[in-house]
Amino acid sequence: MCVEKTPWEQVIDFHGHTCPGIAIGYRVAILAQKEMGIRPTSDSELLVKAETRSCALDAFQIINKATIGRRALIIEDTHQPIYSFHFTGTQEILKITVNSALLEQFKSPNPDTLSPREKQNRNLEMIQHILTTAEKDFCTIERVHGELTKE
Ligand SMILES: [Zn+2]
C-alpha cells in the first residue's frame, strides 16, 4: 500500500533534517497558502521574498512551489524574520513577520553544557511550540500595496 506523505513529511524529506527553522518556514508557508488562496490567473506566479537566509526557505520551495531554480524565491538578507508573498500581475503583497520572541523561553544561559539528548529534546519542544502556538503569538500578517520582482 502506498501511503501519501503529509506536507510536513514532504518538507522534512526535502530539507534533510528536522529543526526549528524548517518548522517556522512550514508554518509561514501554510499560513501564506491559506491567505493567498488560488492563483488569480493561469500565468500569474507566486513569488516569495525572505529577509533571512535560513532553514525556513526550503518550506517555501515545497509548499508554495516558489523555487530557487525558477527565481521565484528571492532572498534579501536583512536578518529580519519577514516573509513576503506576491502573485505577479497583482498589486498586493502579503507580509508575514514572525514574532522574534517566540523562542526566547527556550534559550539556555549556557547551551554548550547541554548533552546531545537534552539538545534534541529542546529542539523537539521548540518545533512543537512553533507548530502549535496561537497564530497571534506566532506572527503578524499584513497586506501591503506593491509588487515583488524576480532577482
Ligand atoms: Zn534545518
Side-chain angles (χ1 to χ4, degrees), residues 2-56:
C2 177
V3 178
E4 208 168 301
K5 285 193 175 132
T6 64
W8 169 251
E9 287 166 340
Q10 289 172 31
V11 165
I12 295 305
D13 255 17
F14 177 70
H15 184 53
H17 69 192
T18 311
C19 66
I22 196 70
I24 288 175
Y26 174 79
R27 185 140 190 211
V28 169
I30 294 285
L31 275 171
Q33 193 182 41
K34 190 181 82 187
E35 294 285 329
M36 296 296 284
I38 54 164
R39 276 198 293 176
T41 59
S42 59
D43 60 353
S44 176
E45 233 190 313
L46 181 67
L47 303 184
V48 180
K49 185 174 90 175
E51 297 191 33
T52 314
R53 190 181 290 276
S54 73
C55 285

Side-chain angles (χ1 to χ4, degrees), residues 9-115:
E9 287 166 340
Q10 289 172 31
V11 165
I12 295 305
D13 255 17
F14 177 70
H15 184 53
H17 69 192
T18 311
C19 66
I22 196 70
I24 288 175
Y26 174 79
R27 185 140 190 211
V28 169
I30 294 285
L31 275 171
Q33 193 182 41
K34 190 181 82 187
E35 294 285 329
M36 296 296 284
I38 54 164
R39 276 198 293 176
T41 59
S42 59
D43 60 353
S44 176
E45 233 190 313
L46 181 67
L47 303 184
V48 180
K49 185 174 90 175
E51 297 191 33
T52 314
R53 190 181 290 276
S54 73
C55 285
L57 303 188
D58 283 348
F60 309 132
Q61 302 197 68
I62 296 294
I63 304 290
N64 311 107
K65 308 275 184 268
T67 70
I68 293 264
R70 281 194 358 266
R71 292 186 297 137
L73 181 57
I74 303 149
I75 303 159
E76 212 177 272
D77 203 349
T78 62
H79 305 288
Q80 301 291 315
I82 302 172
Y83 304 95
S84 301
F85 297 79
H86 170 71
F87 277 126
T88 58
T90 70
Q91 288 297 318
E92 192 176 77
I93 296 173
L94 179 83
K95 202 170 140 187
I96 299 180
T97 306
V98 175
N99 174 11
S100 46
L102 183 70
L103 298 177
E104 232 133 70
Q105 58 177 297
F106 295 97
K107 277 201 185 124
S108 169
N110 37 1
D112 297 340
T113 62
L114 295 177
S115 71

Side-chain angles (χ1 to χ4, degrees), residues 134-149:
E135 191 177 303
K136 65 169 178 32
D137 298 324
F138 176 70
C139 67
T140 47
I141 300 179
E142 293 163 87
R143 286 175 193 276
V144 296
H145 183 84
E147 293 180 52
L148 296 180
T149 44

